[in-house]
């Protein structure tokens, strides 16, 4: 691998930020305890209908939620 092919520090930092933005559902619910886990589970079940789907990744059988994506979805999609 030549030096020009090595990932740059900025690229690595952006990748880390992207990866760290996604949390498995149980950890997401632990971190944001004011959002009931049953509510999050329902939102995930309905993600294709409610617009949350772009902010969810499935790796194996584990679902991951984007913190920033969920916040954006919540701010723009929920009536209130």
């Amino acid at each position: 691998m030549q030096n020009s092919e090595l990932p740059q520090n900025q690229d690595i930092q952006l990748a880390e930020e992207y990866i760290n933005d996604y949390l498995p559902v149980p950890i997401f619910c632990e971190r944001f305890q004011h959002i009931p886990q049953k509510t999050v589970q329902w939102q995930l079940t309905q993600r294709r209908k409610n617009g949350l789907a772009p902010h969810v990744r499935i790796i194996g059988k584990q679902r991951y939620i984007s913190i920033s994506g969920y916040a954006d979805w919540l701010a723009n999609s929920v009536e209130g």
Side-chain angles (χ1 to χ4, degrees), residues 36-47 50 52 63:
Q37 186 166 355
K38 286 186 178 189
T39 298
V40 173
Q41 294 291 354
W42 178 251
Q43 291 167 341
L44 290 173
T45 300
Q46 298 296 315
R47 68 187 178 273
N50 65 22
L52 188 57
R63 293 186 292 188

Side-chain angles (χ1 to χ4, degrees), residues 14-23:
L14 290 173
E16 287 176 355
E17 289 174 10
Y18 181 81
I19 291 168
N20 288 331
D21 186 48
Y22 281 86
L23 295 177

Side-chain angles (χ1 to χ4, degrees), residues 41-68:
Q41 294 291 354
W42 178 251
Q43 291 167 341
L44 290 173
T45 300
Q46 298 296 315
R47 68 187 178 273
R48 289 180 186 87
K49 293 179 183 178
N50 65 22
L52 188 57
H55 310 296
V56 178
R57 299 290 181 265
I58 299 173
I59 302 173
K61 294 182 180 181
Q62 186 75 41
R63 293 186 292 188
Y64 293 80
I65 304 173
S66 165
I67 298 168
S68 62

Side-chain angles (χ1 to χ4, degrees), residues 55 66-78:
H55 310 296
S66 165
I67 298 168
S68 62
Y70 185 88
D72 183 56
W73 172 81
L74 192 62
N76 294 305
S77 300
V78 177

